[in-house]
Amino acid sequence: MMFRIAPTMDSFLIEGGTRLCGEVQISGSKNAVLPIMAATLLTAETCVIRHVPDLSDVRFMCRILTSLGAQVEFDGSTLTVCAAKITGTGDYDLIRKMRGSICILGPLLARLRTASVSLPGGCVIGTRPIDLHLKGLRSLGTEIHVEGGYVKAHAPELNGAHVFLGGRAGPTVLGTANILMAAALADGITVLESAACEPEIIDLADFLNAMGARIQGAGSPTITITGVRELHGVEHEVIPDRIEAGTFAVAAAASGGQVTLRGARPDHLGAVLDKLQEAGARIDRRGGALTVSAGSFLRPVDITTMPYSGFPTDMQAQLMALMCLAPGTSIITERIFESRFMHASELMRLGADIGIEGPSAIVKGGKPLSGAEVMASDLRASAALVIAGIAASGKTQVHRVYHLDRGYERMEVKLEKLGARIQRVPGE
Ligand code: EPZ
């Protein structure tokens, strides 16, 4: 099956000044489904995964699984994978291009005891090291060396171990995923300390336990995995995407509108909803739905990004766009990645007043934004530019929206249904 990925140079043309009103269906979580797709490599039986978002990152991962020898079918919502016959060497070019692909390393080692994958690409938000992934896999008995841009790993035996996974910026999400998957088929008990607590880790552990793994403590900093002999096929529904939901919640507040986030999990959005309320938005959770409405005014707020359940780094750019509209000074401090302020210079092209001082952005909000041509640089920065374009007066063209297509399913269609004047302009 071919996994077509949209043309690369499309842009969004936005006529700002509209309020977003209505309801939006939240798609499945990109950051949950990518490690879950990697986990299908752990069994020779068929896995069926539902509520899968139709994203270019998902289609990329389908190509990677296919390059390893798996049979993959994707109808845009349900994914069927059978990894009965797989090799341990993935397509260098594909794996290098997508950071999330590093999480095939653990399952390949667990299943085949050998793997050779390219070092994942860094990206504009930081160098994206994998030292903690390799530390964890070595603790389980894996021999690893890096040469020619490849990680070459071999594990004659995988034995349970006590692994501390904390790094300079706290836990590692995909590192936790990798070690979870390798330990699931190791001999003996593995204890992960300083594990990531993100909901996406809980969803992965639920998927693995449904396959027959024995994992306890997912969602807490200490996870215990008792290795088993083999894992079987499973059916699973992916959790909703908390960052997509948060993005639409910020867009509602920024546009002066009211949006119901159908299918969102408020319990995954605590820090984001708390900051939106502090900024003046109204949050309504009645009737099992989550509705975010703009208040009569916006207040400046300070945020510092932290590991879950603190304020998520993946919502930092979107909140910066909102703070450009709030009269007063907001201080946004990025503690997870070393260079995740690429959106600031593009927001300034729309009239924002932002100064960068080390890990902090000082936003002097309240000046009206006016449309301009801007360039997307990474996934969440692009979302921030779309939010700002909707709030600005006049026309904004956001170039290189392939960044958005990586992590937002048909974003322009969802926004248009909410009343935004937005269209996708096919790339040259
Ligand atoms: C996941 O990336 C997400 N991606 C990211 O979302 C998210 O921003 C990030 O977690 C943090 O929440 C996916 O799940 C596909 P990390 P991951 O390892 O796992 C350092 C988005 O926009 N670190 O938790 O790659 C690292 O440099 C994307 O959807 C090490 O030092 O991130 C960073 O400073 C962007 N050594 C911090 O830890 C390592 O071995 C957190 O990184 C690994 C990480």
Side-chain angles (χ1 to χ4, degrees):
M1 182 175 179
M2 277 309 292
F3 300 100
R4 204 186 72 75
I5 291 176
T8 55
M9 298 314 276
D10 290 3
S11 62
F12 281 169
L13 188 58
I14 300 164
E15 177 70 52
T18 55
R19 293 169 188 267
L20 299 182
C21 293
E23 74 172 52
V24 63
Q25 182 63 46
I26 298 304
S27 301
S29 163
K30 166 180 86 81
N31 292 350
V33 77
L34 292 176
I36 284 173
M37 288 173 75
T40 63
L41 296 168
L42 288 164
T43 178
E45 296 182 11
T46 298
C47 294
V48 178
I49 308 164
R50 294 193 171 80
H51 199 215
V52 176
D54 192 355
L55 305 169
S56 55
D57 271 12
V58 168
R59 287 172 177 267
F60 229 87
M61 188 59 114
C62 288
R63 288 184 181 176
I64 289 170
L65 296 180
T66 306
S67 78
L68 290 165
Q71 257 79 47
V72 184
E73 297 284 331
F74 181 45
D75 67 5
S77 169
T78 299
L79 184 65
T80 306
V81 183
C82 180
K85 293 188 185 60
I86 53 168
T87 68
T89 300
D91 178 316
Y92 181 97
D93 210 32
L94 282 177
I95 294 174
R96 187 175 52 79
K97 284 185 185 139
M98 189 178 80
R99 162 88 195 165
S101 60
I102 188 61
C103 60
I104 67 172
L105 190 52
L108 285 176
L109 277 172
R111 178 86 184 281
L112 302 175
R113 297 296 198 257
T114 182
S116 171
V117 298
S118 71
L119 280 168
C123 55
V124 286
I125 64 176
T127 52
R128 314 299 293 275
I130 59 166
D131 57 306
L132 297 171
H133 296 241
L134 304 186
K135 172 188 175 185
L137 293 174
R138 284 189 174 108
S139 306
L140 299 179
T142 309
E143 296 147 20
I144 292 175
H145 62 280
V146 178
E147 65 178 39
Y150 270 92
V151 175
K152 295 186 186 293
H154 185 59
E157 285 185 4
L158 279 177
N159 297 304
H162 195 112
V163 187
F164 183 80
L165 265 187
R168 55 176 182 72
T172 163
V173 176
L174 289 180
T176 300
N178 247 332
I179 310 314
L180 263 189
M181 291 188 276
L185 290 178
D187 292 330
I189 293 174
T190 297
V191 176
L192 283 194
E193 261 200 84
S194 191
C197 302
E198 273 70 3
E200 294 77 27
I201 292 296
I202 298 174
D203 207 27
L204 173 63
D206 288 346
F207 183 80
L208 291 168
N209 282 338
M211 293 173 83
R214 294 171 58 194
I215 297 167
Q216 291 170 314
S220 82
T222 305
I223 303 178
T224 304
I225 307 107
T226 304
V228 295
R229 308 279 332 133
E230 64 177 7
L231 297 172
H232 53 74
V234 69
E235 300 207 7
H236 180 81
E237 179 167 315
V238 177
I239 57 171
D241 193 313
R242 60 191 170 97
I243 305 301
E244 183 195 29
T247 301
F248 278 97
V250 169
S255 67
Q258 173 173 310
V259 175
T260 296
L261 307 163
R262 192 60 61 197
R265 288 271 304 261
D267 58 318
H268 291 169
L269 284 160
V272 175
L273 297 177
D274 176 62
K275 278 299 169 187
L276 280 173
Q277 258 174 330
E278 187 186 333
R282 285 197 316 279
I283 311 294
D284 185 340
R285 300 179 192 206
R286 278 173 304 194
L290 175 60
T291 299
V292 177
S293 317
S296 39
F297 52 83
L298 275 172
R299 286 190 289 265
V301 298
D302 297 341
I303 64 158
T304 298
T305 62
M306 286 184 271
Y308 194 84
S309 59
F311 191 89
T313 176
D314 293 347
M315 282 299 304
Q316 180 256 104
Q318 298 91 314
L319 198 102
M320 187 184 290
L322 183 66
M323 287 302 102
C324 294
L325 307 166
T329 300
S330 301
I331 300 174
I332 296 175
T333 302
E334 174 57 62
R335 289 281 183 223
I336 305 296
F337 290 107
E338 59 263 36
S339 60
R340 198 168 196 176
F341 287 140
M342 299 286 283
H343 40 285
S345 53
E346 294 304 298
L347 288 169
M348 286 191 262
R349 294 167 66 84
L350 299 171
D353 180 346
I354 305 169
I356 305 295
E357 288 178 26
S360 297
I362 318 297
V363 182
K364 290 194 175 66
K367 300 179 185 70
L369 300 182
S370 52
E373 300 234 8
V374 290
M375 187 75 74
S377 58
D378 65 277
L379 171 54
R380 308 304 176 182
S382 323
L385 297 176
V386 171
I387 290 168
I390 291 169
S393 60
K395 281 189 178 11
T396 294
Q397 186 156 12
V398 183
H399 294 279
R400 297 188 183 172
V401 292
Y402 64 86
H403 289 293
L404 268 174
D405 293 335
R406 286 191 43 221
Y408 291 94
E409 191 175 31
R410 291 187 293 279
M411 186 184 220
E412 76 277 19
V413 173
K414 293 186 176 185
L415 285 168
E416 198 176 23
K417 278 192 187 138
L418 290 171
R421 288 192 296 260
I422 182 170
Q423 63 179 34
R424 180 183 288 260
V425 177
E428 42 282 353

